[in-house]
Amino acid sequence: MSNPTFEFSHAITRRPTASIIDGLRAEDIGSPDLEQMLKDHAHYVATLKATGAKVIELDGVDAFPDAVFVEDTALCLTKGAVLMRPGAATRLGEVAQMEATIRANFEDVRQITKGHIEGGDILVTEREILVGRSDRTDAEGVEELRSLVSDWGHTVREVFTPPGVLHFKTDCSLLDGETILSTKRLDASGCFEGYRVLHVAEGEEVAANTIRFNDTVLCPAGFPRTAETLRAHGYKVVEINNSECAKLDGGMSCLSLRFNIR
Ligand code: CIR
């Protein structure tokens, strides 16, 4: 495999802690169960490792209930990394918790200092970086990201996360250099023109937040028609229970930062 958009040597994850019950959520559908979440998290980490990647497993930070959702704190690219500035006030401090690990792995580290942007709103494809404006990501944050990554050769395109959807990637994932898995509602916005788009099955919108990690697509369990679509298109799928993270609007992408420094 030589395609940098889905070839990863490393991932960073962080264990959930007891404070997970205080994690942010749009709607209260019950408190996450830490024991179950730890089991699911271990399955997730083992699946990443099984692809041959090194997983940097960070200890939980009890002071930050949402810290398990590491994706929102940084954007890892080939030439460097950018520390984010989360739009959720309770999550701002998570960036400082991640900074040392990012600096240990990247020589060139830049930082968003204006506005807000969360990693969950960023989809990196082979040709561009799509950033969805959302309740967590604003125009100022998008503009600063654009200026920070332009000399690394990246083009940033501002798009829009559908109303009521937490992050852009809540509704889509990159499956390979040209293929995106998306909900119909997000694809209908026209943001994926020029890409091949597979739709998640009707009623399985939650399954849009998957990750392609080396030869494997990690998919939340319980969405059999979408898993079948992926398998029918030749992807190797591993289904991971996501019942507890889902109570906090989290999914497969949120649980790791992924990069390639092989
Ligand atoms: C939050 O509301 O910020 C967390 N409870 C969930 C974050 C999910 N992160 C992601 O989609 N990248």
Side-chain angles (χ1 to χ4, degrees), residues 43-56:
H43 184 199
Y44 180 90
V45 168
T47 306
L48 298 179
K49 284 183 182 168
T51 72
K54 174 176 164 59
V55 180
I56 301 164

Side-chain angles (χ1 to χ4, degrees), residues 23-25 66 69 71-72 88 91 118-121 136 166-167 170 209 248-251 253-254:
L24 296 174
R25 64 207 81 178
D66 284 297
F69 303 118
E71 175 178 60
D72 296 316
R91 303 201 57 196
E118 296 190 357
D121 280 316
R136 302 288 183 84
L166 176 61
H167 286 131
T170 305
N209 184 267
L248 304 176
D249 311 316
S253 74
C254 329

Side-chain angles (χ1 to χ4, degrees), residues 196-208:
R196 181 168 79 128
V197 181
L198 301 182
H199 288 151
V200 295
E202 209 73 41
E204 294 193 355
E205 284 68 22
V206 173

Side-chain angles (χ1 to χ4, degrees), residues 12-231:
I12 302 171
T13 60
R14 189 184 285 293
R15 283 180 207 88
T17 69
S19 71
I20 193 71
I21 54 170
D22 297 321
L24 296 174
R25 64 207 81 178
E27 200 189 327
D28 201 348
I29 54 165
S31 211
D33 179 276
L34 179 62
E35 288 315 304
Q36 183 62 48
M37 198 187 264
L38 284 165
K39 272 186 214 153
D40 300 338
H41 199 258
H43 184 199
Y44 180 90
V45 168
T47 306
L48 298 179
K49 284 183 182 168
T51 72
K54 174 176 164 59
V55 180
I56 301 164
E57 297 178 72
L58 302 178
D59 287 336
V61 210
D62 213 43
F64 294 99
D66 284 297
V68 64
F69 303 118
V70 288
E71 175 178 60
D72 296 316
T73 62
L75 174 65
C76 299
L77 297 166
T78 314
K79 293 189 177 159
V82 182
L83 297 168
M84 298 283 109
R85 193 158 187 266
T90 58
R91 303 201 57 196
L92 264 175
E94 290 177 28
V95 177
Q97 299 288 329
M98 182 56 71
E99 186 170 350
T101 308
I102 293 295
R103 290 195 185 278
N105 286 281
F106 291 90
E107 269 175 30
D108 195 346
V109 178
R110 302 172 180 189
Q111 182 145 23
I112 298 285
T113 58
K114 300 184 214 91
H116 296 285
I117 182 160
E118 296 190 357
D121 280 316
I122 304 176
L123 183 77
V124 181
T125 78
E126 231 169 45
R127 66 185 89 148
E128 60 185 344
I129 299 179
L130 286 89
V131 188
R133 290 251 304 264
S134 70
D135 286 350
R136 302 288 183 84
T137 293
D138 58 24
E140 232 183 335
V142 178
E143 281 318 305
E144 193 175 7
L145 181 68
R146 191 194 305 284
S147 64
L148 289 177
V149 301
S150 66
D151 70 309
W152 287 340
H154 294 286
T155 305
V156 166
R157 176 155 64 99
E158 182 184 85
V159 289
F160 290 87
T161 300
V165 174
L166 176 61
H167 286 131
F168 187 67
K169 276 189 305 200
T170 305
D171 265 31
C172 67
S173 329
L174 187 75
L175 291 175
D176 62 38
E178 59 171 24
T179 311
I180 287 169
L181 177 69
S182 174
T183 59
K184 280 190 184 156
R185 67 186 167 204
L186 180 58
D187 189 23
S189 73
C191 62
F192 298 132
E193 217 169 289
Y195 289 93
R196 181 168 79 128
V197 181
L198 301 182
H199 288 151
V200 295
E202 209 73 41
E204 294 193 355
E205 284 68 22
V206 173
N209 184 267
T210 65
I211 52 166
R212 168 71 190 268
F213 191 85
N214 297 331
D215 66 350
T216 302
V217 178
L218 285 78
C219 223
F223 304 99
R225 287 172 296 140
T226 301
E228 184 44 43
T229 301
L230 292 172
R231 289 189 176 108

